[in-house]
């Protein structure tokens, strides 16, 4: 089952998108759908890379026990 999503664009943006699709013989709905899906996938990939980088950085950090922290804070 297919659903419909609407988006508002200016007349200038519509002409720009439509012109691109016409010049490249692409269906506008398919073009917008693939652009949105690609953007989400790229963002998810970047988030995954950030998480991996943070985990690697966390492994390199010095770890302190709670008593060491209390001593540093002079508690």
């Amino acid at each position: 089952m297919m659903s419909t999503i609407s988006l508002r664009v200016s007349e200038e943006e519509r002409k720009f998108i439509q012109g691109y699709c016409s010049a490249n013989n692409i269906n506008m709905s398919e073009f917008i759908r693939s652009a949105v899906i690609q953007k989400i996938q790229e963002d998810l990939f970047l988030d995954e890379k950030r998480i991996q980088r943070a985990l690697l950085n966390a492994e390199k950090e010095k770890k302190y026990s709670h008593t060491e922290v209390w001593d540093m804070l002079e508690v």
Side-chain angles (χ1 to χ4, degrees):
M1 182 175 152
M2 297 290 283
S3 295
T4 300
I5 298 175
S6 299
L7 72 136
R8 295 187 186 277
V9 295
S10 69
E11 185 62 21
E12 184 178 315
E13 291 168 332
R14 183 194 63 76
K15 287 178 181 178
F16 185 65
I17 296 167
Q18 192 170 36
Y20 178 84
C21 291
S22 293
N24 290 284
N25 198 27
I26 303 169
N27 174 285
M28 191 183 308
S29 290
E30 182 56 36
F31 170 70
I32 293 171
R33 179 178 29 257
S34 66
V36 168
I37 298 297
Q38 181 179 357
K39 172 65 175 148
I40 293 169
Q41 289 173 335
E42 287 171 1
D43 285 354
L44 291 173
F45 178 72
L46 289 175
D47 286 345
E48 184 178 317
K49 286 180 74 171
R50 282 186 215 126
I51 291 168
Q52 289 173 348
R53 192 168 42 247
L55 288 172
L56 287 174
N57 288 338
E59 289 174 4
K60 295 176 187 175
E61 291 179 358
K62 179 163 175 33
K63 294 169 180 61
Y64 298 95
S65 71
H66 66 282
T67 53
E68 289 174 306
V69 173
W70 288 346
D71 289 341
M72 283 187 255
L73 295 174
E74 298 177 355
V75 176

